[in-house]
Amino acid sequence: MFKHILLPTDGTEISQRAIQTCVSFAKSIGATIIGLHVMPEYRALAYEYQMLENTREQFEAECILQAQGYLAEITRAANSAGVPCETIFVTNDHPFAAIMEQATLHHCDLIAMASHGRRGVKGFLMGSETQKVLTHSTIPVLVLR
């Protein structure tokens, strides 16, 4: 039924648990995994151009290093289980939009995401990328709690 699963991660503990669950699921159905991390856009104010440029380069380098670490978790888990896997990272201030875009670009037929369980006022104020994907995606979404 599902052959290509997009697995976004933000590096949190709940995302790490979701990786294990998704890899087991993918193995059981013979699916491949595409791991995704969405990095934020650079935003800063500075009074000198040189300071702004150095900060941007440092910010981007740190984001890429962090993304590679998060995605390595998916690669390790998939390799251990014998599940085909590739990983990607993109930059977007709206992770839910990037998740849906990458799912479409990579012809995924399922998005598997962790949920932090934010509800009520806390969920409204902090936002829920999982909720936004559930609301807007035309691709099935599996929420891993």
Side-chain angles (χ1 to χ4, degrees):
M1 176 174 202
F2 300 116
K3 294 297 173 196
H4 304 286
I5 303 172
L6 183 73
L7 177 58
T9 183
D10 61 3
T12 59
E13 184 179 328
I14 195 159
S15 284
Q16 291 171 350
R17 288 193 307 258
I19 289 168
Q20 299 306 317
T21 303
C22 184
V23 167
S24 295
F25 176 64
K27 181 177 177 123
S28 72
I29 63 172
T32 62
I33 292 176
I34 298 174
L36 170 68
H37 178 71
V38 182
M39 302 180 301
E41 298 277 347
Y42 174 75
R43 302 260 189 265
L45 297 174
Y47 62 90
E48 291 184 22
Y49 173 76
Q50 295 81 6
M51 183 168 43
L52 184 63
E53 192 59 32
N54 288 340
T55 305
R56 173 185 290 277
E57 289 173 3
Q58 182 180 7
F59 176 81
E60 290 173 352
E62 287 175 10
C63 283
I64 290 169
L65 188 61
Q66 188 175 51
Q68 290 170 335
Y70 295 159
L71 295 171
E73 295 272 336
I74 295 173
T75 301
R76 277 192 294 275
N79 288 343
S80 293
V83 173
C85 174
E86 69 176 88
T87 59
I88 53 175
F89 56 87
V90 297
T91 301
N92 193 318
D93 273 340
H94 304 285
F96 80 96
I99 290 166
M100 293 184 308
E101 179 183 345
Q102 293 302 312
T104 301
L105 285 173
H106 292 277
H107 308 289
C108 294
D109 46 20
L110 180 67
I111 300 169
M113 298 182 68
S115 173
H116 293 275
R118 294 183 189 120
R119 295 184 185 147
V121 174
K122 187 175 182 181
F124 176 74
L125 293 174
M126 295 182 72
S128 167
E129 297 306 317
T130 303
Q131 184 63 42
K132 291 174 190 173
V133 172
L134 280 167
T135 302
H136 299 288
S137 180
T138 57
I139 297 169
V141 180
L142 175 64
V143 179
L144 305 166
R145 298 240 6 198

